[in-house]
């Protein structure tokens, strides 16, 4: 995944789980991706240039490749089998989505739909392995101690209601707790004494979670806005994980719909602050081992154990390049 605006005239290198890809735009402006190693002598194609014909030219010996990886050796034009490995790229929601070449476009992420308004997107680097970043976003028990806006305070920890359900391809988690006072919450019409609800689903083809957050008054009456954040966890190296976040907002109150674009930006800002809090803290636990063996887990950690199994069976089993699974369902719903 790469923000569309970052791919212009020059090729760009993207690294996922230790595999490198060269992204470029062909003559029509369509994004393409090749393995970032020229089949000749493995020089990085991302250091090359894009010709006026829209081919990616190797910086070392000038071999040229089209979007499908078909190559030509200018010094020996009759040479056969000059292909570079190509990949599927789809441009959507302001991002470039990368997958195996045989992935149908219909399998690419659709994200939120219906009455949701898109508030924006951002990308954040986590200085921690994938399993550490994913574990952090798989429980809200750390909310009072790492965050200062969404959710409850430490003194309200005993009032939290929690459910977790494990499935063959996903986990589903539900939290209900008092919403602590935070000035920014007023922008979303959340008041004193309101109840915070966080419901999410985590899937593994690719690794991503969709968080739906809403509030109710103490009486149970719903507050007007519902936020939804889709977070994709992309391992760049063995020690770093890139989070790509897409924020949405909706309301069931017709009179407030004209204000949704402004409110959606406020929801995006709130999501950015929350993710930033996690990013600042995560280096503290970056060395947490992959195995949970020896840890005294509690009820809030139920999803973590099952997700490790799904990570291994669904995501890492997509050999030889687990960073680019053959997507089966990437709707994020």
């Amino acid at each position: 995944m790469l923000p569309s605006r970052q791919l212009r005239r020059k090729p760009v290198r993207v690294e996922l789980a230790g595999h490198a890809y060269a992204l470029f735009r062909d003559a029509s402006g369509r994004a393409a991706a090749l393995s970032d190693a020229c089949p000749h002598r493995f020089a990085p194609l991302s250091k090359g240039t894009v010709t006026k014909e829209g081919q990616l030219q190797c910086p070392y010996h000038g071999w040229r490749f089209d979007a499908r990886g078909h190559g030509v050796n200018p010094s020996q034009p009759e040479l056969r089998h000059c292909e570079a490995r190509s990949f599927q790229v789809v441009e959507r929601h302001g991002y470039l989505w990368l997958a195996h070449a045989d992935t149908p476009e219909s399998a690419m992420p659709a994200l939120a739909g219906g009455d949701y308004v898109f508030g924006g997107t951002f990308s954040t680097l986590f200085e921690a392995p994938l399993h550490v970043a994913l574990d952090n976003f798989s429980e809200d028990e750390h909310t009072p101690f790492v965050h200062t806006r969404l959710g409850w305070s430490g003194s309200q920890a005993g009032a939290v209601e929690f459910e977790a359900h494990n499935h063959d391809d996903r986990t589903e988690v539900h939290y209900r707790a008092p919403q602590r006072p935070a000035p920014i919450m007023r922008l979303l019409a959340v008041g004193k004494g309101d109840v915070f609800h966080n419901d999410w689903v985590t899937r593994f083809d690719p690794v991503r979670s969709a968080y739906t957050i809403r509030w109710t008054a103490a009486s149970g009456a719903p507050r007007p806005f519902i936020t939804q954040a889709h977070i994709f966890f992309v391992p760049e190296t063995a020690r770093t994980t890139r989070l790509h976040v897409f924020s949405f907002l909706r309301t069931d109150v017709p009179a407030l719909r004209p204000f949704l674009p402004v409110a959606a930006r406020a929801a995006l800002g709130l999501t950015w602050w929350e993710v930033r809090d996690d990013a600042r803290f995560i280096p503290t636990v970056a060395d947490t081992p992959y195995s949970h063996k020896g840890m005294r887990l509690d009820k809030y950690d139920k999803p973590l154990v099952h997700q490790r199994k799904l990570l291994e069976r669904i995501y890492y089993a997509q050999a030889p390049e687990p960073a680019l699974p053959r997507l089966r369902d990437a709707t994020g719903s």
Side-chain angles (χ1 to χ4, degrees):
M1 296 172 64
L2 181 77
S4 298
R5 65 180 181 277
Q6 292 185 16
L7 185 63
R8 298 180 181 177
R9 297 175 61 89
K10 296 181 179 180
V12 173
R13 175 186 172 95
V14 171
E15 187 172 352
L16 305 178
H19 299 277
Y21 308 87
L23 273 65
F24 68 102
R25 294 192 182 275
D26 64 17
S28 67
R30 185 181 178 88
L34 305 177
S35 180
D36 196 18
C38 179
H40 178 205
R41 298 252 294 277
F42 294 170
L45 294 174
S46 60
K47 296 296 184 181
T49 56
V50 180
T51 68
K52 64 180 180 180
E53 294 82 15
Q55 297 173 311
L56 182 55
Q57 181 172 282
C58 177
Y60 201 4
H61 301 96
W63 289 32
R64 299 187 298 272
F65 305 90
D66 65 17
R68 293 179 295 175
H70 299 321
V72 175
N73 174 5
S75 301
Q76 189 181 345
E78 72 277 10
L79 184 66
R80 301 174 62 188
H81 307 299
C82 300
E83 287 75 21
R85 189 176 181 188
S86 65
F87 299 88
Q88 168 85 288
V89 183
V90 172
E91 197 159 356
R92 188 176 293 169
H93 298 295
Y95 265 74
L96 300 170
W97 303 81
L98 185 64
H100 286 287
D102 59 356
T103 301
E105 188 169 334
S106 61
M108 290 295 192
L111 303 184
D115 296 331
Y116 279 98
V117 170
F118 183 48
T121 181
F122 63 90
S123 175
T124 301
L125 182 66
F126 272 49
E127 299 286 348
L130 172 61
H131 72 274
V132 176
L134 181 61
D135 282 358
N136 176 80
F137 279 84
S138 299
E139 49 83 7
D140 272 357
E141 188 180 5
H142 70 274
T143 291
F145 312 103
V146 175
H147 300 281
T148 58
R149 301 164 193 87
L150 285 179
W152 59 98
S153 63
S155 63
Q156 298 168 316
V160 175
E161 297 177 18
F162 167 80
E163 290 181 37
H165 303 280
N166 295 336
H167 301 274
D168 288 342
D169 63 344
R170 68 194 187 281
T171 59
E172 297 181 2
V173 179
H174 311 275
Y175 277 87
R176 183 181 184 275
Q179 170 62 54
R180 62 182 151 198
I184 191 174
M185 304 309 300
R186 298 172 188 167
L187 296 176
L188 296 177
V190 177
K192 183 178 180 181
D194 283 356
V195 179
F196 165 83
H197 301 259
N198 190 8
D199 304 312
W200 75 78
V201 179
T202 301
R203 299 181 186 272
F204 297 84
D205 55 350
V207 184
R208 70 213 189 269
S209 296
Y211 300 85
T212 301
I213 297 176
R214 60 188 177 87
W215 294 266
T216 57
S219 64
R223 291 304 185 192
F225 294 110
I226 301 171
T227 75
Q228 192 170 93
H230 295 253
I231 301 181
F232 289 76
F233 301 85
V234 181
E236 291 191 341
T237 70
R239 297 286 302 172
T240 59
T241 305
R242 175 73 60 176
L243 270 64
H244 300 283
V245 184
F246 301 81
S247 178
F248 299 83
L249 187 72
R250 74 176 178 89
T251 182
D252 294 327
V253 181
L256 292 178
R257 285 176 185 154
F259 302 99
L260 269 177
V262 174
R265 296 296 294 179
L268 173 67
L270 177 61
T271 303
W272 180 87
W273 269 320
E274 297 297 303
V275 173
R276 184 200 62 174
D277 290 343
D278 285 311
R280 287 179 170 180
F281 176 78
I282 209 69
T284 306
V285 294
D287 293 326
T288 301
Y290 179 82
S291 173
H292 292 127
K293 185 177 180 180
M295 298 182 186
R296 182 62 178 94
L297 303 181
D298 61 21
K299 67 177 183 179
Y300 300 103
D301 298 317
K302 178 182 176 181
L304 276 63
V305 177
H306 185 63
Q307 287 180 175
R308 199 69 93 243
K309 297 176 183 177
L310 297 181
L311 193 68
E312 293 169 359
R313 177 170 60 83
I314 300 175
Y315 186 64
Y316 286 126
Q318 306 276 350
E321 292 181 272
L324 294 178
R326 288 174 174 80
L327 307 180
R328 294 192 295 274
D329 176 14
T331 62
S333 62

